[in-house]
Amino acid sequence: MSHRMYGIDGGSNGEKRAKDNRSRQKEWEKQEHKIFLANSKGKEVYAPTWFRRKPLEANHANHKKLSSLSQRISRLTSGINVGDVIVVEHPEREGTVCKRVLGLPGDLILRPKFSSGEHRDLLKKFENTNGTDVEDSSVAFLNESTLEIVPDSHLWVEGDNSTNSADSRNYGSVPSALVVGKVWFRVWPLRGDALIVRGGRPMPPKHTPFTGSTAIPAGCNGEKLVHASNEH
């Protein structure tokens, strides 16, 4: 019920989210710059980082950290955020889908070109040959992307298995009104970690090209995005 009570974390208006984030970023840079000056030897150039850390990759290695009591309480007492796994009604047909949230209102999405049949054939060939028997034009096809902004009251969602998932790359941003709820546990299959955590999308296996979208937070203006590797 937390998504019904709290909505989208930070609000559903993209312009307001961007303004709020810029305000927080200014305060963050004041503190970060002081620390930088205290530790700098005079040769380095200050390069600000984004105030909000990217979530750790939701894999087995990070599961214990991502499933800590503080993390679980945070999920329960906050709105929908990047890294949450949710169930939503499919925007184009009857039924529901389970996906991970990658973008919130106002976020900029670098969306890869996606054509199910041709795309999967290329990926299969790439995997089988470790990329040694794939033409440059095919690699360029996999890397072609477009830019778009997540509209107000919408979410950008994608599956963890990015090479075999129909998601926002196909049908675009999803209205938040279609959200059924957050996912907390996996009942089947009976293997691996049953507790579903808020975290970054798992990266694909070695030798498999990254085909997921890249999200840039609302209000971000070139600051470096850093993973929350040191946060508990």
Side-chain angles (χ1 to χ4, degrees):
M1 291 297 293
S2 62
H3 74 288
R4 300 295 183 192
M5 296 174 61
Y6 301 106
I8 298 175
D9 189 60
S12 60
N13 183 281
E15 185 176 352
K16 185 177 184 302
R17 288 176 55 82
K19 290 180 179 179
D20 290 345
N21 283 346
R22 287 312 307 170
S23 178
R24 294 178 185 177
Q25 180 64 22
K26 288 180 181 179
E27 294 301 317
W28 166 259
E29 288 184 18
K30 289 179 183 178
Q31 301 175 25
E32 187 181 48
H33 193 223
K34 288 180 181 179
I35 297 174
F36 170 80
L37 292 176
N39 296 288
S40 174
K41 297 180 181 179
K43 297 181 180 180
E44 300 90 348
V45 177
Y46 171 61
T49 62
W50 186 243
F51 76 96
R52 181 166 289 160
R53 282 358 195 182
K54 296 171 63 177
L56 286 172
E57 184 180 337
N59 56 27
H60 181 72
N62 296 328
H63 194 269
K64 184 176 181 180
K65 193 171 186 178
L66 290 172
S67 60
S68 66
L69 180 60
S70 61
Q71 293 283 359
R72 281 180 280 173
I73 292 176
S74 176
R75 284 194 68 199
L76 186 63
T77 58
S78 64
I80 295 173
N81 210 334
V82 170
D84 281 332
V85 177
I86 61 174
V87 172
V88 298
E89 296 178 22
H90 199 286
E92 297 180 344
R93 58 173 172 77
E94 291 187 6
T96 58
V97 292
C98 180
K99 304 294 176 183
R100 192 177 297 274
V101 178
L102 294 186
L104 303 175
D107 288 357
L108 183 66
I109 303 295
L110 185 65
R111 178 183 187 176
K113 184 175 181 180
F114 195 87
S115 175
S116 299
E118 185 179 2
H119 185 266
R120 293 191 179 108
D121 288 344
L122 281 174
L123 288 175
K124 186 174 182 180
K125 187 175 183 180
F126 205 105
E127 292 172 357
N128 292 339
T129 65
N130 291 339
T132 59
D133 190 29
V134 179
E135 298 177 359
D136 290 342
S137 59
S138 298
V139 175
F141 168 80
L142 294 174
N143 290 332
E144 286 183 8
S145 303
T146 58
L147 286 173
E148 53 191 273
I149 298 176
V150 180
D152 293 350
S153 302
H154 281 65
L155 303 168
W156 190 272
V157 297
E158 293 187 16
D160 282 354
N161 184 3
S162 62
T163 61
N164 190 29
S165 173
D167 44 45
S168 285
R169 291 171 296 170
N170 301 86
Y171 43 72
S173 300
V174 177
S176 59
L178 296 182
V179 175
V180 177
K182 295 180 183 178
V183 179
W184 290 86
F185 296 97
R186 186 189 68 241
V187 178
W188 190 263
L190 298 176
R191 57 179 172 78
D193 301 305
L195 180 65
I196 302 298
V197 296
R198 172 186 286 170
R201 170 186 43 208
M203 289 295 100
K206 189 176 181 181
H207 302 308
T208 301
F210 176 71
T211 59
S213 301
T214 299
I216 302 172
C220 185
N221 191 26
E223 294 85 3
K224 183 178 180 181
L225 302 177
V226 180
H227 281 283
S229 57
N230 296 321
E231 296 182 5
H232 295 271

